[in-house]
Amino acid sequence: MAIAHDGAMPDLAAPDYQLRPARRRTCRDGGSAEHDPLPRRHDTREPMIDSDDASLLELAIEQARIGRDEGGVPIGAVLVADGRVLGAGRNRRVQDGSAIRHGETDALERAGRQPASVYRRSTMYTTLSPCDMCTGAILLYGIPRVVIGENRTFVGGEELLLSRGVEVVNLDSAECMELMRAFIAEHPEIWNEDIGED
């Protein structure tokens, strides 16, 4: 998939968010989670969605599909800086027998070593709300912006990201949600293992 970029960086100033209480629920049976998706803006301005966000999320979705077809958890991620994809990854815990290869950590690994200044002007695109481990990696490297596909099947560390000044944009993608619901319904034991639950 070719994506044209003008090289301009989006405004990375964090918008004002109002967090609404959410119950952390996973959908073990593929049913709907009963919570309010985060984040909700408390002003009337449009969300800080970059014109390339949907196209770049599509690259993460492509990774999620590949992971699903390999028999893994369908979560994909892409790390982008200066309009350039640095690394694209997917959850490879099943495929590689890994304890830590989630979509975001795989994208970081595939991006290779980068100077801190590159991370500080990058965006992580991920098909699902990042878990605590991936949230920690985002914070460790100072990634200022995270675009998620959805957080209805799982709510990760969004509140922590927001509290630390990271801009979180939820595109609420129906395709991302359906990928996860179908996987959770078919493989609840693998999903529970992936998020550290029995």
Side-chain angles (χ1 to χ4, degrees), residues 116-174:
S117 61
V118 172
Y119 293 119
R120 285 193 303 262
R121 62 179 189 268
S122 66
T123 298
M124 178 68 77
Y125 293 85
T126 178
T127 58
L128 184 65
S129 178
C131 72
D132 290 343
M133 177 177 68
C134 295
T135 294
I138 290 163
L139 293 173
L140 175 67
Y141 290 106
I143 297 169
R145 187 167 187 265
V146 178
V147 176
I148 64 174
E150 65 101 0
N151 66 357
R152 293 178 187 270
T153 58
F154 176 79
V155 177
E158 294 170 48
E159 289 187 48
L160 178 57
L161 290 171
L162 290 166
S163 75
R164 297 281 295 273
V166 175
E167 179 183 357
V168 178
V169 177
N170 182 356
L171 297 185
D172 205 21
S173 162

Side-chain angles (χ1 to χ4, degrees), residues 127 149-150 152-153 172-182:
T127 58
E150 65 101 0
R152 293 178 187 270
T153 58
D172 205 21
S173 162
E175 183 173 5
C176 291
M177 195 177 339
E178 186 49 41
L179 278 167
M180 286 309 301
R181 283 188 174 159

Side-chain angles (χ1 to χ4, degrees), residues 6-73:
D6 62 6
M9 285 297 297
D11 178 8
L12 296 179
D16 295 326
Y17 284 102
Q18 174 187 359
L19 294 178
R20 295 173 65 177
R23 291 188 300 271
R24 183 182 179 112
R25 290 194 58 193
T26 56
C27 297
R28 291 188 179 92
D29 63 356
S32 66
E34 300 298 326
H35 70 68
D36 289 328
L38 298 175
R40 296 282 192 206
R41 298 178 58 85
H42 74 265
D43 60 20
T44 58
R45 294 178 293 172
E46 289 297 310
M48 299 291 291
I49 298 175
D50 183 270
S51 60
D52 289 332
D53 283 348
S55 298
L56 290 164
L57 180 64
E58 183 58 38
L59 294 177
I61 293 171
E62 185 177 305
Q63 288 292 311
R65 287 187 208 114
I66 293 168
R68 176 200 60 201
D69 294 346
E70 293 171 340
V73 182

Side-chain angles (χ1 to χ4, degrees), residues 77 100-110 124 133-134 137:
I100 61 170
R101 239 12 187 319
H102 282 194
E104 298 89 338
T105 56
D106 191 47
L108 284 164
E109 179 69 19
R110 293 183 177 281
M124 178 68 77
M133 177 177 68
C134 295

